[in-house]
Amino acid sequence: MTSIEASKARGGNRRLRVRRSATITGAAFVAWLTVGPLAFALMAEQPLWGAFSAVVGAALLLAPVGISMWAWRSGVDVTTEGITLRGMFSSRLIEWHHIDGFATGDEGVAAILDDQSQVPLAPLKPENLPKVLEIGGQELREA
């Protein structure tokens, strides 16, 4: 299950945001509940060699922080300008004039670019394609 948010931005630009499953957010919450107390205890109490405990506690916090950031940030944004793939630290805009079509399969949806390369559009699902094409001003054609 993916998180989908469709909106109409100012100026009439339409937008579709597809994010990863809410299960990942749940996993981040569980990571915070399990790792957080241990990490904070290591940093505050420092039971093992003083500063070493603080470093280990801070390192343990990287897992729930990373999972939370990835769940919040990664996904696909569809606008009238193109499709933006968002990762934890990067984003890539693929403009509509560079997209020749879409391929669907067991792995989900991939954009076929004008150089015939394919770019996976995870977490986009085939049932999202009509809305994606509508926002991009394209029409659905079967191959």
Side-chain angles (χ1 to χ4, degrees), residues 64-113:
V65 167
I67 293 170
S68 298
M69 284 178 53
W70 182 65
W72 172 70
R73 173 117 168 94
S74 67
V76 175
D77 292 343
V78 181
T79 63
T80 54
E81 290 83 35
I83 297 176
T84 304
L85 304 169
R86 297 197 183 277
M88 190 153 100
F89 298 113
S90 64
S91 63
R92 175 184 177 190
L93 173 65
I94 303 171
E95 296 176 349
W96 282 109
H97 62 87
H98 291 298
I99 300 174
D100 279 349
F102 294 94
T104 60
D106 293 335
E107 293 90 35
V109 177
I112 302 171
L113 303 182

Side-chain angles (χ1 to χ4, degrees), residues 130-143:
K131 185 71 174 170
V132 169
L133 294 172
E134 177 187 329
I135 291 171
Q138 311 296 315
E139 60 185 54
L140 183 61
R141 296 183 305 252
E142 296 292 324

Side-chain angles (χ1 to χ4, degrees), residues 21-35:
S21 172
T23 307
I24 295 171
T25 305
F29 180 70
V30 169
W32 277 108
L33 287 178
T34 56
V35 175

